[in-house]
Amino acid sequence: MKLSGAEIFIECLKKEGVKHIFGYPGGVVLNIFDLLYDNKDVKLILTRHEQGAVHAADGYARVSGRPGVVLVTSGPGATNTVTGIATASMDSVPLVVFSGQVPTMLIGNDAFQEADIVGITRPCTKYNFLAKDVNDLAEIIREAFYIATTGRPGPVLIDLPKDVTSGKTDFIWPEDVKIRSYNPTYEGNKWMIKQAAHEITKAKRPIIIAGGGVIISGGHKELKELAEITQIPVAMTLMGLGGFPGTHKLSLGMLGMHGTYYANMATQNSDLIVAVGMRFDDRVTGNVDGFAPQAKIVHIDIDPTSIRKNVRVDIPIVGDVKFILREMLSILKEESKGQWTEIRKAWLSQIGQWKKARPLTYHSIDDVIKPQFVVEKIYEITKGDAIITTEVGQNQMWTAQFYKFDKPRRLVTSGGLGTMGYGFPAAIGAQIAFPDKLVIDIAGDGSIQMNIQELATAVLEKLPVKVAILNNRYLGMVRQWQELFFHERYSYSHLNMVPDFVKVAEAYGAVGLRATKAGEVEPLIEEALRIKKPVFMDFIVDWKEKVYPMVPAGAPIDQMLFEEEEKKAEKKLRAVK
Amino acid sequence: MRHTISVLVENKFGVLSRISGLFSGRGYNIESLSVGETIDPQISVMTIVTTGDDWVIEQITKQLNKLIDVIKVTDMTELDHVEREMVMVKVAPRQDDKAEVLRLAEIFRGRVVDSSQKTYTIEITGDEKKIAAFVELMKPMGIKEFVRTGKVAIAREGIKKK
């Protein structure tokens, strides 16, 4: 029996085990939407903007580990997905995005709602396809899922001309995929792994830096075992949070621009860095030339281009984190006779001193709500076990600092691209993947307005996502930079008008709550969590609050600014006056 | 340093723009680029001449390898290899210089592929030095037009001594 391209699309999704897709209809994808109308196997979540659909699919993918699927129409529908695709690409998230396209006969004619989306998304996808013939469709979809989910995962786009979805052919599902020019390496070079293990046995002041690759590969157990056996402290990148338990005594928390003092000091003073599934982003390294001057670097990553891109590497190991850590463990376990605790004593006590000297902190003033306090309370009340998404900016950094993630796939945040408006739709996607889990978006008043229309999606789909808005009436991170580096010239960072988020929530049929005093924070969160509906929690926070510590852009990461120093300077100033 | 990189790719539409987009997007130089089918019509070979220090060249080869459609990347500069390029020069010499143009073409083993009352078009093939030398000599003769193919390169096979 012959199937249409649209029917093949549905059959392929079923074969891939896809139950939910995110999207928005339009002219050239109506053949597919017509089938989705009464399909029992594949349910479409209708967002209010295509960007929201991609972020939702992305959130779904990050918490579940399964590929997120998107279906949009041609032209503006397709171009609206670009930010979402670039976000997923930077953070290695497996997505398969289907965009409608004008009929093949019209391609290149500047037809109505035509855009060269394959050309536009070429640099921000892992791969993309234009399906020109319905006979190739099943194979293309199979390959797209394969490419998106293997090796270093990433987004793949398939452009579907209208006549391809209506054309008919025999449906043959290709069981095996083999792409001769695409063969990711999983098992690391044994000799290199041996060398790395040898370096670990020799090192006096080693640290592990764990990145998102630990979580993607599912190697968090192996990482924990490695750290515990060899007593090596673990710093994490933003994407790596949860890859190692944040409450573990060997955890240094996040390193980098807004990392902890002790993570940055440990990095700078280490003699060996074991970098696991991370890519030495500039937010992690600060000034590259001044980065970890005494350290030998072992770099484990599945993407060879990540290695020696930003920093020198002494022992490169290309492959899957989980495979490689297992191999490394088997070597180190043999050498392990409980001697590590003794060997690490001096180094761990030095780190203990750093931890004691400058813990993460903030200063409460009377009844003013400090944004960090809100994050801390959310952490306490949820016992650290909620799925937390964030927007981008101060809200994101405070979450990274004050919510201790003990498990992987609990923090969902746009790390690489830094996309404002990401967190709320991502929370929606995460809630679709885990309907029974608590999902909270920690947002700013700027970011939440970038995809606030998705409230409709959350309400209609009965998704009880919670949004904690740290409302400071500013683009806080921009304001912070302007205060510190631009002589307090707050150029366009003051939002002047912020809508009444409680009323906005109510207008959409959700619930809105507001706290203006510190004492109201805890009861408000508890109330919000009892409500089985989407809730906006509007926290009117101290607008002057800044994210500390901070490494100014371009400085080495041990040259940090601290709140205490700022307070002292202020005091002095007041005394002079 | 200048490197000649040979890239085997799937012969599909869009591959050229993936490669050129990689270079422009990441700020790498392309001095020349030539593309053609191999004996297997499903595979094309691209010869890219680029410059950069060792870090940059390492990134370029890795980034090329990362592209899904790239089958094999060879940095020819690391191997014993032969490089050739073809140029066509249209010159309009004065009456007195016509004989000199033809003589130079012969010395450089060029061929006259077109001639008119006022012009000769000369085809010449060679490595970079030879072509540069020929162009220098033609300049005073009055070059009207000049086209070049970009380099192609192939590795040498070692000869076994008996």
Short mmCIF file of all heavy atoms in Angstrom, two decimals, chain A residues 281-301:
data_model
loop_
_atom_site.label_atom_id
_atom_site.label_comp_id
_atom_site.label_asym_id
_atom_site.label_seq_id
_atom_site.Cartn_x
_atom_site.Cartn_y
_atom_site.Cartn_z
N ASP A 281 34.80 27.13 27.55
CA ASP A 281 34.13 28.35 27.10
C ASP A 281 34.77 29.56 27.79
O ASP A 281 35.34 29.44 28.87
CB ASP A 281 32.65 28.23 27.51
CG ASP A 281 31.85 29.46 27.14
OD1 ASP A 281 31.41 29.51 25.98
OD2 ASP A 281 31.68 30.35 27.99
N ASP A 282 34.70 30.72 27.17
CA ASP A 282 35.35 31.91 27.75
C ASP A 282 34.74 32.30 29.10
O ASP A 282 35.40 32.95 29.91
CB ASP A 282 35.29 33.09 26.78
CG ASP A 282 33.87 33.41 26.36
OD1 ASP A 282 33.38 32.76 25.41
OD2 ASP A 282 33.24 34.29 26.97
N ARG A 283 33.49 31.93 29.36
CA ARG A 283 32.89 32.22 30.67
C ARG A 283 33.49 31.33 31.76
O ARG A 283 33.37 31.59 32.93
CB ARG A 283 31.36 32.02 30.62
CG ARG A 283 30.64 33.13 29.86
CD ARG A 283 30.88 34.46 30.52
NE ARG A 283 30.03 35.54 30.05
CZ ARG A 283 30.40 36.46 29.16
NH1 ARG A 283 31.60 36.44 28.62
NH2 ARG A 283 29.58 37.42 28.80
N VAL A 284 34.13 30.23 31.33
CA VAL A 284 34.78 29.33 32.28
C VAL A 284 36.24 29.72 32.48
O VAL A 284 36.74 29.75 33.61
CB VAL A 284 34.69 27.88 31.77
CG1 VAL A 284 35.69 26.97 32.48
CG2 VAL A 284 33.27 27.34 31.95
N THR A 285 36.93 30.05 31.41
CA THR A 285 38.38 30.24 31.50
C THR A 285 38.78 31.66 31.90
O THR A 285 39.87 31.86 32.40
CB THR A 285 39.06 29.96 30.15
OG1 THR A 285 38.55 30.88 29.17
CG2 THR A 285 38.82 28.54 29.70
N GLY A 286 37.91 32.65 31.64
CA GLY A 286 38.39 34.03 31.76
C GLY A 286 39.52 34.21 30.76
O GLY A 286 39.52 33.60 29.69
N ASN A 287 40.49 35.01 31.15
CA ASN A 287 41.65 35.21 30.29
C ASN A 287 42.38 33.89 30.06
O ASN A 287 42.91 33.29 31.00
CB ASN A 287 42.58 36.23 30.96
CG ASN A 287 43.78 36.55 30.09
OD1 ASN A 287 44.20 35.74 29.27
ND2 ASN A 287 44.32 37.73 30.27
N VAL A 288 42.42 33.45 28.83
CA VAL A 288 42.96 32.12 28.52
C VAL A 288 44.45 32.04 28.87
O VAL A 288 44.92 31.02 29.37
CB VAL A 288 42.76 31.79 27.03
CG1 VAL A 288 43.32 30.42 26.71
CG2 VAL A 288 41.28 31.84 26.68
N ASP A 289 45.16 33.11 28.63
CA ASP A 289 46.61 33.08 28.88
C ASP A 289 46.93 32.95 30.37
O ASP A 289 47.98 32.44 30.73
CB ASP A 289 47.27 34.34 28.32
CG ASP A 289 47.12 34.42 26.81
OD1 ASP A 289 47.11 33.34 26.18
OD2 ASP A 289 46.97 35.53 26.27
N GLY A 290 46.00 33.43 31.20
CA GLY A 290 46.23 33.34 32.63
C GLY A 290 45.50 32.16 33.27
O GLY A 290 45.39 32.09 34.48
N PHE A 291 44.98 31.26 32.46
CA PHE A 291 44.16 30.17 32.98
C PHE A 291 45.03 29.02 33.50
O PHE A 291 45.86 28.49 32.75
CB PHE A 291 43.21 29.67 31.90
CG PHE A 291 42.33 28.53 32.34
CD1 PHE A 291 41.25 28.74 33.19
CD2 PHE A 291 42.60 27.23 31.92
CE1 PHE A 291 40.45 27.69 33.60
CE2 PHE A 291 41.80 26.17 32.33
CZ PHE A 291 40.72 26.41 33.17
N ALA A 292 44.80 28.64 34.74
CA ALA A 292 45.45 27.48 35.36
C ALA A 292 46.90 27.33 34.92
O ALA A 292 47.27 26.34 34.30
CB ALA A 292 44.66 26.22 35.02
N PRO A 293 47.74 28.31 35.29
CA PRO A 293 49.09 28.35 34.74
C PRO A 293 49.97 27.14 35.08
O PRO A 293 50.88 26.81 34.32
CB PRO A 293 49.68 29.63 35.34
CG PRO A 293 48.78 30.03 36.44
CD PRO A 293 47.45 29.47 36.14
N GLN A 294 49.67 26.49 36.21
CA GLN A 294 50.57 25.38 36.59
C GLN A 294 50.01 24.01 36.22
O GLN A 294 50.63 22.99 36.49
CB GLN A 294 50.79 25.39 38.11
CG GLN A 294 51.24 26.73 38.67
CD GLN A 294 50.71 26.94 40.08
OE1 GLN A 294 50.69 26.03 40.90
NE2 GLN A 294 50.26 28.16 40.36
N ALA A 295 48.84 23.99 35.62
CA ALA A 295 48.16 22.70 35.47
C ALA A 295 48.49 21.99 34.16
O ALA A 295 48.57 22.61 33.10
CB ALA A 295 46.65 22.90 35.58
N LYS A 296 48.66 20.68 34.27
CA LYS A 296 48.58 19.83 33.09
C LYS A 296 47.11 19.62 32.82
O LYS A 296 46.31 19.56 33.75
CB LYS A 296 49.22 18.47 33.38
CG LYS A 296 50.70 18.42 33.11
CD LYS A 296 51.17 17.00 32.94
CE LYS A 296 52.64 17.03 32.53
NZ LYS A 296 53.22 15.72 32.41
N ILE A 297 46.74 19.52 31.56
CA ILE A 297 45.32 19.37 31.26
C ILE A 297 45.04 18.06 30.53
O ILE A 297 45.63 17.77 29.48
CB ILE A 297 44.80 20.58 30.45
CG1 ILE A 297 44.94 21.86 31.29
CG2 ILE A 297 43.34 20.37 30.04
CD1 ILE A 297 44.47 23.12 30.60
N VAL A 298 44.16 17.25 31.14
CA VAL A 298 43.61 16.07 30.47
C VAL A 298 42.23 16.49 29.98
O VAL A 298 41.43 16.99 30.75
CB VAL A 298 43.46 14.89 31.47
CG1 VAL A 298 42.74 13.73 30.80
CG2 VAL A 298 44.81 14.48 32.01
N HIS A 299 41.97 16.34 28.70
CA HIS A 299 40.68 16.80 28.18
C HIS A 299 39.93 15.64 27.52
O HIS A 299 40.38 15.08 26.53
CB HIS A 299 40.90 17.93 27.16
CG HIS A 299 39.64 18.67 26.81
ND1 HIS A 299 39.62 19.79 26.03
CD2 HIS A 299 38.34 18.45 27.16
CE1 HIS A 299 38.37 20.22 25.90
NE2 HIS A 299 37.58 19.41 26.57
N ILE A 300 38.79 15.31 28.12
CA ILE A 300 37.94 14.24 27.59
C ILE A 300 36.73 14.88 26.94
O ILE A 300 35.98 15.61 27.59
CB ILE A 300 37.47 13.31 28.73
CG1 ILE A 300 38.67 12.72 29.47
CG2 ILE A 300 36.55 12.22 28.19
CD1 ILE A 300 38.30 12.03 30.78
N ASP A 301 36.52 14.63 25.66
CA ASP A 301 35.32 15.16 25.00
C ASP A 301 35.04 14.34 23.76
O ASP A 301 35.95 13.85 23.10
CB ASP A 301 35.47 16.63 24.63
CG ASP A 301 34.12 17.32 24.46
OD1 ASP A 301 33.48 17.13 23.41
OD2 ASP A 301 33.70 18.01 25.40
#
